[in-house]
Amino acid sequence: MNDILVIVLNGASQATILFLIASGMSLVFGVMGVLNFAHGAFYMLGAYFAARMLENVDAGAVTFLAVCVAAAVGVAVLGLIVDALIFRRLYGREALAGLLATFGLLFLLQGAATKIFGSLPLAVSMPKAFGGSWTIGTAILPHYNIVLYLACIGVAALLYYLFSRSRFGRVVSAVARDPEMAAAVGIEVRLVRSAVIFIGAGLAGLAGALYSPVISVNTGLAVDVVVESFAIVVVAGLGVVWGTFPVALVFGFINAALLQYVPQFETYTFYVVMALVLVFRPQGLFGSKAAIINA
Amino acid sequence: MYGARCSASSLPTACWFRSAQKQQPQEATWPVAPYPTEKWAGKTVSKSFKNIRRLAVGTGLAAVLVGVTACGSGGSSEAGGSDNSDIHVGFWHVLSGAAASYGQQTLNGVQLAIDEINADGGAGGHKIVLKTADDTGTAQGAIQAVHNLAGSDFLLGGSTSDSCTGVAPVVGQDGTPTIIIGCGTNELDTTLKQPNMIHFPPTNYGYASALGAGVAKAVPGIKTWDIFGPDVLSSHQQSSETLAQYSQSVGSDVATGQTDFFDASATNYQPYIQSFLQKVPSGTNSDRGLYVATYGGGTVTLSEQQAPFNFFKRYGVVANVGDYDNAAWAQKGSAAEFWNSYDYYYASYDNAENKTFVDSYQKKYGDVPSAWAYQGYSVVKIMAAAVEASKSLSHADLISALHSGLSVALPTGTATIDNDLNQVLAPVTVWHSVGDPSAPQGVKLLDTQVVPPDEINYTGE
């Protein structure tokens, strides 16, 4: 029983970060067809923005959460600038063009962060209210993990509402499926795409800010989680935003179970599962074949 | 100052890119247009090629900006020219990217020592002229950097293990007297040893054995050591050497307890901590030690993520090898309690050499010197001693001088050179600290054990 609890806690811990990053990456690909490798840089910048705003501040819980939102908005605005300068020129292009351009953008943003924030690692103090932990049996649940779980559930619910229940979701879906036809019926395609970039980049920025108290904030963050998040996006199905939630959870739990019982195999989980899915279901677990053809 | 321009010593790829962009002939028209064409700026260009061109310009702009950043850290520090009596020193380190601050701190130390020596009339009467190159932290970058520094009288450099491992044979072929500054690669003292190359920092084995010896002096009652860290070769080597030296120093065997080498790419350590703690006795175990094999930013992350688990509090000693001062300072008073073994900690030494170094560094750069700055400062002092002992500036004479029984006063004490290992023998600093917001740099120094070279095992044998 204790083992199961450890696996659940560990799995959830891994799933939260993967979901927050993969969901934004999947969203941008689904709507714009741009596989954004610079998404990790948005995550990095969210952490840097939070670190800079909280520098020499003994932040309470409310201040910290407000800073996280502000950092997310800051990164989202940066996403709009990147959209205007780069992404707009990639719409409708083959995936390789997007990969190359965003790969270059990743290095550019890393270099800029080094110049602006320095290359020494920064640290963000954990707000005292979030600092403790509960012990359940021999398993330990840090209080702050509850904040992360709630943030993930909140984001998942918001994305579900936005893209499955709101008019905005239908408009986005129309633009994703056929931008010319969407424009023909009066939808401001450019505006919709900008909104999607804003949300996608903002999610990555939120992830970076939320994780800043438990990581060393440095430019290496830009590449640390990109590959694993990309694996989540691929396994869920390129562009299937909602699919990243269950897939991140399943990945997290599989990883945690392996870590508990056969830790020597834990490192390879992501890549083995991704390879198997690509072989037997190349469109991803929740994707359609049409999406692969269009990609 | 270091010129913001592409010089022969700058990051090669990025600078080549800039140069190539300038030199590419511009096609007036595309001879074949397989796709629908349109008039654009008075030239007939296919639509597809136009898009490619736009993409290339966008990507090129990004690369050029990155290149400019990288190129900015290369160049010569000598503004007033030089003459034949000058000694030309080539310095390479990682001066761009995520680890650039380590290279910059090293360069600060190098520049400070050069300024002091030149103000004092130069090394053996020769003014030191510095030229820098960025090795980008890679083997390929280091090899290119050494090529770019060809013609130097002396070379000082080396950043990551990869860069040092890759560049060592090239340094050997080049024949220029060289002091390796920044990597603890064990093989630099054995299979990669070169006649013209001296290794300044202790090897990974050296740091680890110093940690074992230093902690044994201060906390001799540890019966069991647990090991936790990323699964890389140095983690295995250093943990085993630390435990071996600890056992030897306390005169009795200690047990290896729980060991976990986890995915080296992980940044979320919580699952590993959680699983690890399932196998470690609860409560505080004062006779149990934890060897932590993280490094730099990884140590910051672990220090933060372990706190809610009270991971470190289960142990009588938590010990770690490698650069820690920057990591501890970054945590602004919240760093965990640690024993660390590395070249230097600025507050650990109370001697005239260290006081001069710390005061001069603070005056010039407005901050206390890190271990990286100490490394840069010290290798210049050793080089200057070799120049003074040398009959001429020929490579052969300078190499002979390095092996002539030099004795150099450094901020950590007196350094000599082991002519069998081609290794600088200097004390290693084993320091015990904890985060304290009211202390300078947010770190309270609790204890220092200075481990002399004769207690350090450099080869792991």
Short mmCIF file of all heavy atoms in Angstrom, two decimals, chain A residues 86-137:
data_model
loop_
_atom_site.label_atom_id
_atom_site.label_comp_id
_atom_site.label_asym_id
_atom_site.label_seq_id
_atom_site.Cartn_x
_atom_site.Cartn_y
_atom_site.Cartn_z
N ILE A 86 8.53 35.92 -36.06
CA ILE A 86 8.99 34.65 -36.62
C ILE A 86 7.84 33.71 -37.00
O ILE A 86 7.74 33.28 -38.15
CB ILE A 86 9.93 33.94 -35.61
CG1 ILE A 86 11.19 34.78 -35.40
CG2 ILE A 86 10.33 32.54 -36.13
CD1 ILE A 86 12.12 34.27 -34.33
N PHE A 87 6.97 33.40 -36.03
CA PHE A 87 5.98 32.35 -36.28
C PHE A 87 5.09 32.67 -37.48
O PHE A 87 4.74 31.78 -38.25
CB PHE A 87 5.11 32.14 -35.03
CG PHE A 87 5.82 31.43 -33.91
CD1 PHE A 87 5.21 31.25 -32.68
CD2 PHE A 87 7.10 30.93 -34.07
CE1 PHE A 87 5.86 30.59 -31.64
CE2 PHE A 87 7.77 30.28 -33.04
CZ PHE A 87 7.14 30.12 -31.82
N ARG A 88 4.73 33.93 -37.63
CA ARG A 88 3.84 34.31 -38.72
C ARG A 88 4.41 33.93 -40.08
O ARG A 88 3.69 33.70 -41.03
CB ARG A 88 3.61 35.82 -38.67
CG ARG A 88 2.17 36.16 -38.39
CD ARG A 88 2.01 37.61 -38.14
NE ARG A 88 1.33 37.81 -36.87
CZ ARG A 88 1.06 38.99 -36.38
NH1 ARG A 88 1.42 40.08 -37.03
NH2 ARG A 88 0.44 39.11 -35.24
N ARG A 89 5.72 33.92 -40.15
CA ARG A 89 6.37 33.59 -41.42
C ARG A 89 6.46 32.09 -41.64
O ARG A 89 6.95 31.63 -42.66
CB ARG A 89 7.78 34.20 -41.44
CG ARG A 89 7.74 35.70 -41.37
CD ARG A 89 9.05 36.31 -40.94
NE ARG A 89 8.82 37.56 -40.23
CZ ARG A 89 8.53 38.72 -40.83
NH1 ARG A 89 8.43 38.77 -42.13
NH2 ARG A 89 8.32 39.80 -40.13
N LEU A 90 6.04 31.33 -40.63
CA LEU A 90 6.15 29.87 -40.74
C LEU A 90 4.81 29.19 -41.00
O LEU A 90 4.76 28.00 -41.23
CB LEU A 90 6.73 29.31 -39.43
CG LEU A 90 8.15 29.79 -39.08
CD1 LEU A 90 8.51 29.34 -37.67
CD2 LEU A 90 9.15 29.24 -40.07
N TYR A 91 3.70 29.95 -40.94
CA TYR A 91 2.39 29.34 -41.12
C TYR A 91 2.32 28.68 -42.50
O TYR A 91 2.66 29.29 -43.51
CB TYR A 91 1.27 30.37 -41.01
CG TYR A 91 1.19 31.03 -39.65
CD1 TYR A 91 0.73 32.32 -39.50
CD2 TYR A 91 1.57 30.33 -38.51
CE1 TYR A 91 0.67 32.94 -38.26
CE2 TYR A 91 1.51 30.94 -37.26
CZ TYR A 91 1.06 32.23 -37.14
OH TYR A 91 1.00 32.83 -35.93
N GLY A 92 1.83 27.47 -42.50
CA GLY A 92 1.65 26.79 -43.77
C GLY A 92 2.91 26.19 -44.33
O GLY A 92 2.88 25.55 -45.38
N ARG A 93 4.02 26.39 -43.66
CA ARG A 93 5.28 25.83 -44.15
C ARG A 93 5.43 24.40 -43.65
O ARG A 93 4.77 23.97 -42.72
CB ARG A 93 6.45 26.67 -43.63
CG ARG A 93 6.37 28.14 -44.00
CD ARG A 93 6.70 28.36 -45.45
NE ARG A 93 8.02 27.81 -45.76
CZ ARG A 93 9.15 28.46 -45.51
NH1 ARG A 93 9.11 29.67 -45.00
NH2 ARG A 93 10.31 27.92 -45.78
N GLU A 94 6.35 23.68 -44.26
CA GLU A 94 6.59 22.32 -43.82
C GLU A 94 7.16 22.33 -42.39
O GLU A 94 7.74 23.33 -41.96
CB GLU A 94 7.54 21.58 -44.78
CG GLU A 94 8.95 22.10 -44.83
CD GLU A 94 9.13 23.28 -45.79
OE1 GLU A 94 8.12 23.96 -46.11
OE2 GLU A 94 10.26 23.55 -46.17
N ALA A 95 6.97 21.20 -41.68
CA ALA A 95 7.35 21.16 -40.27
C ALA A 95 8.83 21.44 -40.06
O ALA A 95 9.23 22.03 -39.06
CB ALA A 95 7.00 19.79 -39.68
N LEU A 96 9.65 21.04 -41.05
CA LEU A 96 11.10 21.20 -40.89
C LEU A 96 11.48 22.67 -40.74
O LEU A 96 12.36 23.02 -39.95
CB LEU A 96 11.83 20.59 -42.09
CG LEU A 96 13.36 20.62 -42.02
CD1 LEU A 96 13.86 19.82 -40.83
CD2 LEU A 96 13.97 20.08 -43.31
N ALA A 97 10.81 23.53 -41.51
CA ALA A 97 11.12 24.96 -41.43
C ALA A 97 10.86 25.48 -40.01
O ALA A 97 11.65 26.24 -39.45
CB ALA A 97 10.28 25.74 -42.44
N GLY A 98 9.73 25.04 -39.44
CA GLY A 98 9.40 25.45 -38.08
C GLY A 98 10.41 24.95 -37.07
O GLY A 98 10.83 25.67 -36.17
N LEU A 99 10.82 23.69 -37.26
CA LEU A 99 11.80 23.10 -36.34
C LEU A 99 13.11 23.89 -36.36
O LEU A 99 13.67 24.23 -35.32
CB LEU A 99 12.09 21.66 -36.75
CG LEU A 99 11.20 20.58 -36.17
CD1 LEU A 99 11.57 19.22 -36.73
CD2 LEU A 99 11.33 20.55 -34.67
N LEU A 100 13.59 24.18 -37.58
CA LEU A 100 14.87 24.88 -37.70
C LEU A 100 14.79 26.29 -37.11
O LEU A 100 15.67 26.71 -36.36
CB LEU A 100 15.28 24.97 -39.17
CG LEU A 100 15.75 23.65 -39.81
CD1 LEU A 100 15.97 23.83 -41.30
CD2 LEU A 100 17.02 23.16 -39.14
N ALA A 101 13.72 26.98 -37.46
CA ALA A 101 13.60 28.37 -36.99
C ALA A 101 13.47 28.43 -35.47
O ALA A 101 14.09 29.27 -34.81
CB ALA A 101 12.41 29.05 -37.66
N THR A 102 12.65 27.53 -34.91
CA THR A 102 12.44 27.58 -33.46
C THR A 102 13.67 27.06 -32.71
O THR A 102 13.93 27.45 -31.58
CB THR A 102 11.19 26.80 -33.02
OG1 THR A 102 11.30 25.45 -33.46
CG2 THR A 102 9.94 27.42 -33.58
N PHE A 103 14.42 26.17 -33.36
CA PHE A 103 15.67 25.69 -32.75
C PHE A 103 16.64 26.87 -32.63
O PHE A 103 17.29 27.06 -31.60
CB PHE A 103 16.26 24.59 -33.62
CG PHE A 103 17.23 23.71 -32.88
CD1 PHE A 103 16.84 23.02 -31.75
CD2 PHE A 103 18.53 23.56 -33.33
CE1 PHE A 103 17.74 22.20 -31.07
CE2 PHE A 103 19.43 22.76 -32.65
CZ PHE A 103 19.04 22.07 -31.52
N GLY A 104 16.72 27.67 -33.70
CA GLY A 104 17.57 28.87 -33.65
C GLY A 104 17.07 29.85 -32.60
O GLY A 104 17.85 30.44 -31.85
N LEU A 105 15.74 29.97 -32.53
CA LEU A 105 15.14 30.89 -31.55
C LEU A 105 15.48 30.45 -30.12
O LEU A 105 15.74 31.29 -29.25
CB LEU A 105 13.62 30.92 -31.75
CG LEU A 105 12.82 31.78 -30.77
CD1 LEU A 105 13.19 33.26 -30.92
CD2 LEU A 105 11.32 31.58 -30.99
N LEU A 106 15.50 29.15 -29.90
CA LEU A 106 15.85 28.61 -28.58
C LEU A 106 17.23 29.12 -28.15
O LEU A 106 17.40 29.63 -27.03
CB LEU A 106 15.86 27.08 -28.64
CG LEU A 106 16.47 26.32 -27.47
CD1 LEU A 106 15.59 26.41 -26.25
CD2 LEU A 106 16.68 24.85 -27.83
N PHE A 107 18.20 29.03 -29.05
CA PHE A 107 19.56 29.48 -28.71
C PHE A 107 19.61 30.99 -28.54
O PHE A 107 20.34 31.51 -27.70
CB PHE A 107 20.56 29.02 -29.77
CG PHE A 107 20.81 27.54 -29.72
CD1 PHE A 107 20.50 26.72 -30.78
CD2 PHE A 107 21.34 26.96 -28.57
CE1 PHE A 107 20.72 25.36 -30.71
CE2 PHE A 107 21.56 25.60 -28.49
CZ PHE A 107 21.25 24.79 -29.57
N LEU A 108 18.84 31.67 -29.37
CA LEU A 108 18.82 33.14 -29.27
C LEU A 108 18.29 33.57 -27.90
O LEU A 108 18.88 34.43 -27.24
CB LEU A 108 17.94 33.71 -30.38
CG LEU A 108 17.81 35.23 -30.41
CD1 LEU A 108 19.14 35.87 -30.78
CD2 LEU A 108 16.74 35.68 -31.38
N LEU A 109 17.19 32.93 -27.47
CA LEU A 109 16.61 33.31 -26.18
C LEU A 109 17.52 32.89 -25.02
O LEU A 109 17.61 33.60 -24.01
CB LEU A 109 15.21 32.68 -26.02
CG LEU A 109 14.14 33.24 -26.97
CD1 LEU A 109 12.83 32.47 -26.81
CD2 LEU A 109 13.90 34.72 -26.71
N GLN A 110 18.20 31.77 -25.17
CA GLN A 110 19.17 31.36 -24.14
C GLN A 110 20.30 32.39 -24.03
O GLN A 110 20.69 32.79 -22.94
CB GLN A 110 19.79 30.01 -24.50
CG GLN A 110 19.06 28.81 -23.92
CD GLN A 110 19.86 27.54 -24.10
OE1 GLN A 110 20.37 27.27 -25.17
NE2 GLN A 110 19.93 26.73 -23.05
N GLY A 111 20.80 32.80 -25.20
CA GLY A 111 21.88 33.79 -25.21
C GLY A 111 21.42 35.11 -24.60
O GLY A 111 22.14 35.73 -23.82
N ALA A 112 20.19 35.51 -24.96
CA ALA A 112 19.67 36.77 -24.42
C ALA A 112 19.51 36.68 -22.91
O ALA A 112 19.83 37.62 -22.18
CB ALA A 112 18.33 37.08 -25.08
N ALA A 113 19.03 35.52 -22.44
CA ALA A 113 18.85 35.34 -20.98
C ALA A 113 20.19 35.42 -20.26
O ALA A 113 20.29 36.00 -19.18
CB ALA A 113 18.17 34.00 -20.70
N THR A 114 21.22 34.85 -20.88
CA THR A 114 22.56 34.92 -20.27
C THR A 114 23.01 36.36 -20.14
O THR A 114 23.56 36.77 -19.12
CB THR A 114 23.58 34.12 -21.12
OG1 THR A 114 23.11 32.79 -21.24
CG2 THR A 114 24.95 34.11 -20.46
N LYS A 115 22.77 37.12 -21.21
CA LYS A 115 23.19 38.53 -21.19
C LYS A 115 22.40 39.34 -20.16
O LYS A 115 22.95 40.20 -19.47
CB LYS A 115 23.00 39.16 -22.58
CG LYS A 115 24.07 38.76 -23.58
CD LYS A 115 25.41 39.40 -23.22
CE LYS A 115 26.54 38.83 -24.07
NZ LYS A 115 27.85 39.07 -23.48
N ILE A 116 21.11 39.07 -20.08
CA ILE A 116 20.25 39.89 -19.22
C ILE A 116 20.33 39.45 -17.75
O ILE A 116 20.45 40.29 -16.85
CB ILE A 116 18.78 39.81 -19.71
CG1 ILE A 116 18.66 40.43 -21.10
CG2 ILE A 116 17.84 40.52 -18.73
CD1 ILE A 116 17.36 40.14 -21.80
N PHE A 117 20.27 38.13 -17.53
CA PHE A 117 20.18 37.65 -16.14
C PHE A 117 21.51 37.11 -15.62
O PHE A 117 21.62 36.73 -14.46
CB PHE A 117 19.12 36.54 -16.03
CG PHE A 117 17.75 36.98 -16.47
CD1 PHE A 117 17.21 36.56 -17.67
CD2 PHE A 117 16.99 37.82 -15.68
CE1 PHE A 117 15.95 36.95 -18.08
CE2 PHE A 117 15.72 38.23 -16.07
CZ PHE A 117 15.21 37.80 -17.28
N GLY A 118 22.52 37.01 -16.49
CA GLY A 118 23.80 36.42 -16.08
C GLY A 118 23.72 34.91 -16.19
O GLY A 118 22.63 34.33 -16.30
N SER A 119 24.88 34.25 -16.17
CA SER A 119 24.83 32.80 -16.34
C SER A 119 25.03 32.05 -15.03
O SER A 119 25.09 30.83 -15.02
CB SER A 119 25.87 32.35 -17.37
OG SER A 119 27.15 32.72 -16.94
N LEU A 120 25.12 32.77 -13.94
CA LEU A 120 25.14 32.08 -12.65
C LEU A 120 23.71 31.62 -12.32
O LEU A 120 22.75 32.30 -12.65
CB LEU A 120 25.61 33.02 -11.54
CG LEU A 120 27.12 33.23 -11.45
CD1 LEU A 120 27.43 34.26 -10.38
CD2 LEU A 120 27.83 31.93 -11.14
N PRO A 121 23.58 30.45 -11.71
CA PRO A 121 22.23 30.00 -11.37
C PRO A 121 21.58 30.93 -10.35
O PRO A 121 22.26 31.47 -9.47
CB PRO A 121 22.46 28.60 -10.77
CG PRO A 121 23.88 28.57 -10.36
CD PRO A 121 24.61 29.49 -11.29
N LEU A 122 20.27 31.15 -10.50
CA LEU A 122 19.51 31.94 -9.54
C LEU A 122 18.63 30.99 -8.73
O LEU A 122 18.31 29.89 -9.19
CB LEU A 122 18.63 32.97 -10.25
CG LEU A 122 19.33 33.96 -11.20
CD1 LEU A 122 18.29 34.89 -11.84
CD2 LEU A 122 20.37 34.76 -10.46
N ALA A 123 18.25 31.42 -7.57
CA ALA A 123 17.37 30.60 -6.74
C ALA A 123 16.22 31.45 -6.24
O ALA A 123 16.38 32.64 -5.99
CB ALA A 123 18.15 30.03 -5.56
N VAL A 124 15.05 30.83 -6.12
CA VAL A 124 13.86 31.51 -5.61
C VAL A 124 13.48 30.86 -4.28
O VAL A 124 13.37 29.64 -4.20
CB VAL A 124 12.69 31.39 -6.61
CG1 VAL A 124 11.41 31.95 -6.02
CG2 VAL A 124 13.04 32.10 -7.92
N SER A 125 13.28 31.68 -3.27
CA SER A 125 12.92 31.13 -1.96
C SER A 125 11.48 30.64 -1.97
O SER A 125 10.59 31.29 -2.52
CB SER A 125 13.08 32.20 -0.88
OG SER A 125 14.42 32.59 -0.78
N MET A 126 11.27 29.52 -1.34
CA MET A 126 9.92 28.97 -1.21
C MET A 126 9.14 29.79 -0.19
O MET A 126 9.63 30.04 0.91
CB MET A 126 10.03 27.51 -0.73
CG MET A 126 8.72 26.83 -0.45
SD MET A 126 7.84 26.46 -1.97
CE MET A 126 8.77 25.06 -2.57
N PRO A 127 7.93 30.25 -0.54
CA PRO A 127 7.11 30.96 0.46
C PRO A 127 6.91 30.06 1.68
O PRO A 127 6.69 28.85 1.54
CB PRO A 127 5.79 31.20 -0.27
CG PRO A 127 6.13 31.13 -1.72
CD PRO A 127 7.26 30.16 -1.85
N LYS A 128 6.97 30.66 2.84
CA LYS A 128 6.91 29.86 4.08
C LYS A 128 5.65 29.01 4.15
O LYS A 128 5.66 27.88 4.63
CB LYS A 128 6.99 30.78 5.30
CG LYS A 128 8.40 31.33 5.52
CD LYS A 128 8.52 32.05 6.85
CE LYS A 128 9.93 32.57 7.07
NZ LYS A 128 10.32 33.64 6.14
N ALA A 129 4.53 29.56 3.66
CA ALA A 129 3.26 28.84 3.74
C ALA A 129 3.29 27.53 2.95
O ALA A 129 2.52 26.61 3.22
CB ALA A 129 2.15 29.72 3.20
N PHE A 130 4.18 27.46 1.95
CA PHE A 130 4.23 26.26 1.11
C PHE A 130 5.40 25.34 1.48
O PHE A 130 5.67 24.36 0.80
CB PHE A 130 4.39 26.65 -0.37
CG PHE A 130 3.26 27.48 -0.91
CD1 PHE A 130 3.50 28.46 -1.86
CD2 PHE A 130 1.95 27.27 -0.48
CE1 PHE A 130 2.46 29.23 -2.38
CE2 PHE A 130 0.91 28.04 -0.98
CZ PHE A 130 1.17 29.02 -1.94
N GLY A 131 6.12 25.68 2.54
CA GLY A 131 7.42 25.05 2.75
C GLY A 131 7.45 23.70 3.42
O GLY A 131 8.43 22.98 3.31
N GLY A 132 6.40 23.29 4.10
CA GLY A 132 6.48 22.05 4.87
C GLY A 132 6.10 20.82 4.08
O GLY A 132 6.11 20.82 2.85
N SER A 133 5.75 19.77 4.80
CA SER A 133 5.34 18.53 4.14
C SER A 133 4.47 17.71 5.08
O SER A 133 4.48 17.92 6.29
CB SER A 133 6.56 17.73 3.71
OG SER A 133 7.33 17.38 4.85
N TRP A 134 3.72 16.78 4.51
CA TRP A 134 2.96 15.80 5.31
C TRP A 134 3.63 14.45 5.16
O TRP A 134 4.09 14.10 4.06
CB TRP A 134 1.51 15.70 4.80
CG TRP A 134 0.68 16.91 5.09
CD1 TRP A 134 0.24 17.33 6.31
CD2 TRP A 134 0.15 17.83 4.13
NE1 TRP A 134 -0.53 18.47 6.17
CE2 TRP A 134 -0.60 18.80 4.84
CE3 TRP A 134 0.23 17.93 2.75
CZ2 TRP A 134 -1.25 19.85 4.22
CZ3 TRP A 134 -0.42 18.97 2.12
CH2 TRP A 134 -1.15 19.93 2.86
N THR A 135 3.63 13.69 6.22
CA THR A 135 4.14 12.33 6.14
C THR A 135 2.96 11.37 6.23
O THR A 135 2.16 11.45 7.17
CB THR A 135 5.13 12.05 7.28
OG1 THR A 135 6.20 13.00 7.18
CG2 THR A 135 5.72 10.65 7.17
N ILE A 136 2.85 10.51 5.24
CA ILE A 136 1.75 9.53 5.21
C ILE A 136 2.42 8.16 5.14
O ILE A 136 2.96 7.80 4.09
CB ILE A 136 0.85 9.75 3.98
CG1 ILE A 136 0.49 11.24 3.84
CG2 ILE A 136 -0.39 8.87 4.06
CD1 ILE A 136 0.00 11.62 2.47
N GLY A 137 2.37 7.41 6.22
CA GLY A 137 3.16 6.18 6.27
C GLY A 137 4.63 6.58 6.20
O GLY A 137 5.10 7.41 6.98
#
